[in-house]
C-alpha cells in the first residue's frame, strides 16, 4: 500500500515534457498534479506549478518509483480474485422503493431459497473461496436483496452453520428486524446495514414505502435504537431529488443516534424509476459536501466521528489505492473481480445491479463451477470495462480516483459498456473536495481511526 505525496515543492531538474498533469481543486493556494496512469499525485503551491511540472523532488520520485506504482495499479485493476459475494436469498421485497434496481415483478412474486438451498450454496461458495484465498482470511457473504429477512430462517441457519468460514453481513430495510434478530446477529458479529433516506418520516417515506404506500421510517429508527452501541452496523442514505436539501439534517440525526458509520450514495440509475428521482450533479455535490462538513463540525464539537464510508473510501483511494474497501470507484469495478452476486435460483451475476438484466447471467452455482461462470461472456463484459475505452474518461486526470461507475447504469441508461454512467461531474467534485481536505490537513478527521494500520508508506514528500 502506498501513501502518495502532499507537498510544497521547488523545481530543480528541467525537462521538455512532464508526465504530471495539473488538476484544479478549487483551493486558494494549492493545485494538484497527477500522473493519471499510476494515480501518483502531489499537491503544490500554485505559484510553483511550472517548476514542479518541469522537475524537482516530485518528478524525481515518480521516475524512481513509477514502475512500482504502475505494477501496483495493474495488480489492483486486473489481477484480483473474488473474496466476497452478495447473496440474495430472495427476489421478494415487502417494500416498493422508488429507485430499486430489481424489477417490480421479481420483488412481488420472485423466487426464494429455503434452508437446504442456502446451506448448499454456502458449501459451494466455501469450496470456491478456499481454492484461492489464504487460510487466515475469511471470505465475506453479505445477505442482500430485495429483503433478505423474508428468508430469515434460512439465512440464520446459514450464519449458524458457517460462522467460522465466512464473515457475514445483512443489508436489510429493517421492517422485519426485531429484538430476537438483533440479538442473534450482534452476538455473532454479523455486520448490519440499514437504509433510511431522511431525518423525519415526511422525507424518508417519499422514496421508501411498502406496496401499500405506507412509509417505514419508524421501523428503521427503532432498529437504529436497538443497535445503539454495536460497532458493526451502518446506515445507507440514498441521495435523491427528494432529500438533497435535508442531508445535513440527516447526518446530524445519525450522529445524535450514535450511528458509527453511514453511506451517502448517489442514485443508481439502472432502471427508469431511479432516473425520475436523480438529482442534478451540481446539486448533489453541493448537498453532499455540506453534509460532510456537518459531520466534521459534529466531530469537533463532540469528539465522536460519523464516518461517511463511501467518501472515506475515496480518500483512501487517493492516499493508499490498494487499501480501499469499496470497489465501485476503480476501473474495472469490483463486479466479477472482487465480488459477485448470487440470485435465489443459483444464477450468478457480476453485481447485484445486474440481477434484473438477464443478459448478464453468467451461469448457475448449482450446475457449474464458479470459475467457469467468471470466465463467461457476461462476466467478462463487466470485468473488461475500463476507463481507457470510455470517451472522456480515457483522458481524465482523475480516472483512477473515480473509475467511471456504474457499468449497469452505463449499459442500461446510456446504451453500452463504453459509455459513462451517471454523475460524472459529481465524482469530479468529490475528488476535488477530498484533495482540498488533504491540502488543509483535515482528511484524517473523515477516516476510520486506525485505517492505515499495516500500511506501508511508499512515498511521502514534504508531508506536514
Amino acid at each position: 500500500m502506498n501513501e502518495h505525496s502532499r507537498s510544497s515543492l521547488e523545481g530543480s531538474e528541467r525537462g521538455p515534457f512532464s508526465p504530471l498533469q495539473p488538476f484544479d481543486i478549487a483551493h486558494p493556494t494549492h493545485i494538484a498534479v497527477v500522473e493519471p496512469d499510476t494515480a501518483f499525485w502531489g499537491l503544490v503551491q500554485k505559484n510553483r506549478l511550472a517548476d514542479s511540472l518541469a522537475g524537482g523532488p516530485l518528478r524525481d520520485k515518480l521516475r524512481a518509483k513509477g514502475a512500482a506504482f504502475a505494477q501496483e495499479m495493474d495488480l489492483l485493476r486486473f489481477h484480483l480474485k473474488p473474496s466476497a459475494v452478495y447473496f440474495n436469498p430472495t427476489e421478494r421485497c415487502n417494500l416498493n422503493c422508488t429507485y430499486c434496481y430489481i424489477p417490480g415483478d421479481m420483488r412481488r412474486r420472485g423466487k426464494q431459497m429455503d434452508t437446504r438451498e442456502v446451506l448448499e450454496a454456502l458449501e459451494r461458495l466455501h469450496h470456491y473461496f478456499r481454492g484461492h484465498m489464504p487460510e487466515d482470511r475469511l471470505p465475506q457473504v453479505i445477505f442482500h436483496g430485495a429483503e433478505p429477512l423474508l428468508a430469515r430462517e434460512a439465512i440464520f441457519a446459514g450464519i449458524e452453520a458457517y460462522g467460522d468460514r465466512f464473515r457475514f453481513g445483512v443489508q436489510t430495510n429493517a421492517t422485519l428486524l426485531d429484538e430476537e434478530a438483533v440479538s442473534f446477529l450482534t452476538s455473532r458479529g454479523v455486520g448490519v446495514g440499514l437504509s433510511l433516506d431522511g431525518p423525519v418520516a415526511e422525507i424518508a417515506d417519499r422514496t421508501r414505502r411498502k406496496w401499500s404506500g405506507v412509509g417505514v421510517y419508524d421501523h428503521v429508527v427503532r432498529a437504529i435504537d436497538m443497535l445503539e452501541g454495536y460497532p458493526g452496523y451502518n446506515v445507507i442514505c440514498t441521495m435523491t431529488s427528494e432529500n438533497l436539501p435535508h442531508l445535513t439534517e440527516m447526518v446530524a440525526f445519525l450522529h445524535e443516534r450514535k450511528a458509527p458509520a453511514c453511506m451517502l450514495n448517489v442514485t443508481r440509475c439502472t432502471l427508469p424509476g431511479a432516473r425520475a428521482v436523480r438529482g442534478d450533479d451540481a446539486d448533489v455535490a453541493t448537498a453532499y459536501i455540506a453534509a460532510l462538513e456537518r459531520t466534521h463540525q459534529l466531530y469537533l464539537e463532540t469528539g465522536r466521528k460519523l464516518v461517511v464510508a463511501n467518501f472515506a473510501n475515496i480518500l483512501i483511494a487517493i492516499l493508499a489505492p490498494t487499501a480501499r474497501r469499496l470497489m465501485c470507484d476503480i476501473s474495472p469495478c469490483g463486479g466479477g473481480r472482487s465480488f459477485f452476486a448470487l440470485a435465489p435460483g443459483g444464477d450468478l451475476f457480476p453485481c447485484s445491479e445486474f440481477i434484473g438484466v438477464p443478459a448478464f447471467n453468467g451461469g448457475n452455482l448449482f450446475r457449474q463451477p464458479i470459475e467457469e461462470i467468471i470466465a463467461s461472456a457476461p462476466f467478462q463484459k463487466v470485468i473488461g470495462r475500463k476507463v481507457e475505452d470510455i470517451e472522456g474518461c480515457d483522458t481524465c486526470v482523475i480516472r483512477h480516483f473515480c473509475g467511471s461507475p456504474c457499468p449497469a447504469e452505463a449499459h442500461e441508461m446510456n446504451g453500452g459498456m463504453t459509455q459513462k454512467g451517471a454523475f460524472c461531474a459529481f465524482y469530479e467534485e468529490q475528488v476535488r473536495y477530498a484533495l482540498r481536505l488533504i491540502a488543509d490537513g483535515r482528511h484524517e478527521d473523515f477516516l476510520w481511526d486506525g485505517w492505515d494500520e499495516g500500511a506501508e508508506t511508499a512515498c511521502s514528500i514534504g508531508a506536514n
Side-chain angles (χ1 to χ4, degrees), residues 19-335:
L20 297 168
Q21 298 182 35
F23 179 65
D24 183 12
I25 62 172
H27 189 275
T29 60
H30 283 73
I31 188 168
V33 290
V34 184
E35 198 293 297
D37 289 334
T38 59
F40 178 90
W41 61 274
L43 292 168
V44 301
Q45 292 181 14
K46 288 181 177 180
N47 61 1
R48 296 183 178 179
L49 175 61
D51 286 345
S52 298
L53 293 177
L58 196 58
R59 283 195 61 181
D60 291 345
K61 185 62 71 172
L62 177 58
R63 187 180 299 110
K65 297 217 170 200
F69 292 151
Q71 184 178 26
E72 180 185 69
M73 189 58 63
D74 182 75
L75 178 66
L76 176 67
R77 297 183 65 202
F78 302 114
H79 301 284
L80 298 183
K81 289 188 177 182
S83 59
V85 56
Y86 288 92
F87 191 129
N88 294 254
T90 181
E91 293 173 336
R92 302 173 199 167
C93 190
N94 54 348
L95 301 193
N96 185 29
C97 300
T98 307
Y99 47 72
C100 188
Y101 54 81
I102 300 176
D105 285 346
M106 291 174 68
R107 285 182 284 118
R108 280 185 180 274
R109 295 174 284 272
K111 300 172 184 174
Q112 183 162 304
M113 285 180 162
D114 59 25
T115 299
R116 179 191 61 80
E117 291 169 318
V118 167
L119 293 175
E120 182 180 351
L122 288 172
E123 181 60 32
R124 289 172 180 265
L125 290 166
H126 168 67
H127 178 76
Y128 165 72
F129 287 123
R130 284 280 64 89
H132 65 267
M133 289 186 65
E135 285 293 331
D136 61 350
R137 185 181 173 203
L138 295 180
Q140 189 170 19
V141 171
I142 305 99
F143 288 115
H144 211 256
E147 176 44 51
L149 289 183
L150 287 171
R152 170 172 163 165
E153 181 179 340
I155 68 171
F156 282 16
I159 292 169
E160 189 69 25
Y162 285 83
D164 60 342
R165 282 169 276 185
F166 294 103
R167 291 185 297 122
F168 283 104
V170 176
Q171 180 65 42
T172 174
N173 62 32
T175 57
L176 304 175
L177 197 63
D178 55 25
E179 290 185 1
E180 182 182 0
V182 168
S183 176
F184 177 88
L185 295 170
T186 57
S187 66
R188 290 159 178 80
V190 176
V192 180
L194 309 176
S195 295
L196 185 67
D197 286 354
V200 296
E202 179 187 359
I203 299 163
D205 293 344
R206 293 173 184 173
T207 49
R208 300 188 60 81
R209 301 180 294 266
K210 295 182 179 181
W211 292 95
S212 64
V214 175
V216 296
Y217 171 86
D218 291 341
H219 290 277
V220 186
V221 173
R222 185 179 71 247
I224 290 172
D225 290 342
M226 285 191 290
L227 287 162
E228 183 178 339
Y230 182 58
Y233 92 95
N234 68 84
V235 181
I236 293 177
C237 173
T238 299
M239 299 183 291
T240 70
S241 57
E242 298 291 339
N243 65 5
L244 285 182
H246 309 282
L247 292 185
T248 55
E249 301 160 54
M250 181 63 189
V251 295
F253 170 84
L254 293 175
H255 187 273
E256 182 182 7
R257 298 274 174 166
K258 300 181 180 175
C262 72
M263 298 178 73
L264 300 177
N265 287 348
V266 293
T267 309
R268 281 283 170 249
C269 298
T270 307
L271 293 185
R275 298 167 210 166
V277 292
R278 170 189 173 182
D280 174 78
D281 280 35
D283 293 340
V284 175
T286 298
Y288 177 71
I289 291 171
L292 291 167
E293 283 293 324
R294 180 63 176 137
T295 68
H296 189 249
Q297 180 183 22
L298 291 166
Y299 170 57
L300 295 179
E301 291 173 359
T302 67
R304 179 165 46 83
K305 290 182 180 179
L306 170 65
V307 175
V308 180
N310 53 306
F311 178 68
N313 198 68
I314 293 295
L315 279 170
I316 293 172
I318 295 170
L319 294 166
T322 59
R324 68 184 83 202
R325 301 186 183 187
L326 306 173
M327 294 294 288
C328 291
D329 50 40
I330 187 67
S331 156
C333 75

